Amino acid sequence: MIDIAQVRRDTPGCETFIHFDNAGASPMPDPVFRAVTDHMAAERALGGYEAERRAQPALECLYTGLAELLNAAPDEIAYAENATRAWNMAVYALPWAEGDRVIVHGSEYASNMLAFLHLERRHGITIDIAPSDGTGQIDVDALERMITAKTKLISLVHVPTQGGLVNPAAAVGDAARRHGVTYALDACQSVGQMAVDVGKIGCDILTCTGRKYLRGPRGTGFLYIRRDLANRLDPPFIDLHAANWSAERSFDIAPAARRFENYESNVAGRIGLARAVAYARKVGIASIEARIESLAQELRQTLNAIRGVTLQDLGARTCGIVTFTIDQVDPIAVRDVLFQKGISTSVSLVNHARLDLGRRETGPVLRASVHYFNTEGEIERFGAAVARIALNTSTQTENLSS
Ligand SMILES: *Cc1c(COP(=O)(O)O)cnc(C)c1O
């Protein structure tokens, strides 16, 4: 059981604000905030290098903590300034050649798809799009039939940014393993929200950001990469941290995941991310997962009961991300009105999810994403605010805020 009063005390913003954009950037709990600001204070007092040396144990915790969280080894973890760069470092390191194929799904993240389009233009690779099953999640049987000798990578988003579905990541892992295809899982919205075990899932690459369900600082992220794959890959670029200049004309690339890191980074951010991982594990991932699921179901029921509101989530299994539209109302205007009322939400745009929102012709959708520190009372207040907007617009389409 989560001590809700305690986690809310650790999240002082809760007193005055309803945080329903945890899939965008969840507020840092106080221990994370303090880890960051304490390190900044140490840098001010001692200088950056001295503060970093003194913080070595805290920095090591990032690797050991993430390894334990994901069931990986510490040398299979690389820190990155965000999830996209972590993903790019691994995916651009694969030895792409003309005619190679990648399989993606409709839930693919915009930056990942942009990278594949870039690789298509640069190397002449082919992008295959696996269909969804009747529920909207990836159709694993169809995916398996699409695998050819030329398939170099399966890229899957565990939980898409633009909808509440949870893709069957482990079933895809089974298919990838059976066919010997490298499997990259974008777990930006799942790590910190639900149990994610790289052994059970069978992915070779996993990427995640710090600021979402893990509640770490902005500008942080990480890469998990299976050790033997990492050791075979040539990073897109290296520096004096990712490699050693061993003689005038030679160098050795660092072992395992370290080769995908770079030297200069936000040390306070790394310490904050390590603290966020520790905080999530202390709250308990299983409890977090259960509470988010129950709050999200309640939120869906609340929204479903409002006339003019349409839920937009797909999937056999859903999670803490709840997407919806309101008849005749611009989602961005709704987001802004809700913000004025002290509630954060966000909007998923069509050009951020062309294979999903674009194909479904939903237009942009509102996204409310709950975390374990949210409450039933907040859902009630949120539902009332949305109902007022929906009612206002059915009588008079202007002046949403009246
Ligand atoms: C947020 C997000 C990303 C990108 O993470 P950054 O840290 O902003 O690079 C990638 N994939 C998914 C599914 C996301 O939700």
Side-chain angles (χ1 to χ4, degrees):
M1 281 299 285
I2 299 173
D3 182 345
I4 302 302
Q6 179 61 48
V7 293
R8 286 179 73 80
R9 271 197 300 278
D10 286 346
T11 312
C14 285
E15 279 169 34
T16 50
F17 201 77
I18 298 181
H19 287 278
F20 276 8
D21 190 20
N22 297 292
S26 189
M28 287 180 271
D30 269 356
V32 175
F33 178 76
R34 274 200 308 274
V36 172
T37 53
D38 285 355
H39 188 76
M40 299 298 275
E43 286 190 351
R44 187 178 62 171
L46 307 174
Y49 281 29
E50 292 69 19
E52 182 174 2
R53 271 203 299 277
R54 211 182 61 175
Q56 273 316 310
L59 287 163
E60 270 314 302
C61 282
L62 180 61
Y63 301 94
T64 52
L66 281 171
E68 281 168 29
L69 181 72
L70 302 170
N71 184 24
D75 69 338
E76 295 178 313
I77 307 290
Y79 170 81
E81 64 265 44
N82 56 57
T84 303
R85 187 46 46 90
W87 188 96
N88 283 337
M89 287 301 283
V91 169
Y92 277 82
L94 295 170
W96 296 105
E98 183 158 1
D100 284 347
R101 307 182 81 96
V102 57
I103 304 179
V104 304
H105 173 246
S107 50
E108 191 58 275
Y109 187 70
S111 297
N112 302 353
M113 190 62 187
L114 286 164
F116 290 131
L117 291 167
H118 187 213
L119 291 167
E120 180 182 63
R121 182 184 288 176
R122 183 185 275 188
H123 295 297
I125 72 162
T126 299
I127 305 164
D128 296 313
I129 301 171
S132 299
D133 68 13
T135 72
Q137 67 181 20
I138 189 169
D139 182 333
V140 183
D141 293 333
L143 158 86
E144 195 157 0
R145 288 192 296 273
M146 292 172 87
I147 297 173
T148 72
K150 286 284 183 191
T151 304
K152 276 283 162 68
L153 180 70
I154 295 168
S155 169
L156 184 69
V157 172
H158 199 185
V159 169
T161 177
Q162 72 277 1
L165 83 88
V166 184
N167 267 315
V172 171
D174 284 342
R177 219 175 283 184
R178 273 197 297 279
H179 295 268
V181 178
T182 302
Y183 173 25
L185 186 69
D186 176 339
C188 272
Q189 298 290 4
S190 53
V191 175
Q193 175 175 192
M194 58 190 68
V196 174
D197 179 319
V198 295
K200 283 189 187 145
I201 290 172
C203 55
D204 304 290
I205 294 164
L206 177 146
T207 50
C208 183
T209 197
R211 72 182 182 280
K212 297 178 180 173
Y213 277 93
L214 276 174
R215 308 185 66 198
R218 293 204 60 180
T220 63
F222 65 87
L223 164 71
Y224 154 80
I225 182 161
R226 208 161 40 75
R227 184 184 301 113
D228 58 324
L229 175 63
N231 283 332
R232 274 187 277 127
L233 293 185
D234 191 16
F237 26 78
I238 54 173
D239 71 356
L240 48 66
H241 172 87
N244 178 40
W245 193 9
S246 47
E248 268 190 33
R249 301 291 176 135
S250 64
F251 62 92
D252 306 310
I253 297 185
R258 203 55 50 98
R259 67 184 56 194
F260 296 107
E261 293 188 332
N262 56 49
Y263 172 70
E264 174 59 356
S265 65
N266 177 357
V267 178
R270 278 156 59 199
I271 293 170
L273 179 58
R275 196 68 194 78
V277 171
Y279 189 88
R281 295 181 65 217
K282 184 158 162 266
V283 175
I285 296 295
S287 309
I288 291 173
E289 182 172 340
R291 174 151 174 99
I292 291 174
E293 200 177 310
S294 105
L295 287 173
Q297 291 316 339
E298 191 165 326
L299 176 55
R300 286 194 185 89
Q301 276 165 23
T302 301
L303 289 171
N304 212 23
I306 302 170
R307 196 206 301 227
V309 170
T310 309
L311 287 174
Q312 298 290 353
D313 295 327
L314 304 175
R317 176 184 168 200
T318 52
C319 66
I321 296 178
V322 178
T323 53
F324 62 102
T325 47
I326 307 177
D327 291 351
Q328 324 278 339
V329 193
D330 171 17
I332 290 176
V334 179
R335 180 199 64 192
D336 293 347
V337 169
L338 290 171
F339 181 67
Q340 283 161 25
K341 294 178 188 295
I343 304 169
S344 62
T345 56
S346 71
V347 175
S348 293
L349 302 171
V350 175
N351 66 335
H352 288 177
R354 289 215 175 272
L355 300 179
D356 179 2
L357 304 182
R359 287 180 170 192
R360 284 156 62 199
E361 298 183 354
T362 54
V365 299
L366 275 153
R367 183 183 70 184
S369 44
V370 290
H371 217 323
Y372 58 81
F373 60 81
N374 289 128
T375 63
E376 289 80 359
E378 289 178 333
I379 291 172
E380 225 171 272
R381 276 149 63 203
F382 177 74
V386 170
R388 269 198 303 278
I389 292 168
L391 182 68
N392 267 355
T393 41
S394 63
T395 50
Q396 135 197 20
T397 28
E398 265 120 71
N399 201 4
L400 286 181
S401 41
S402 67

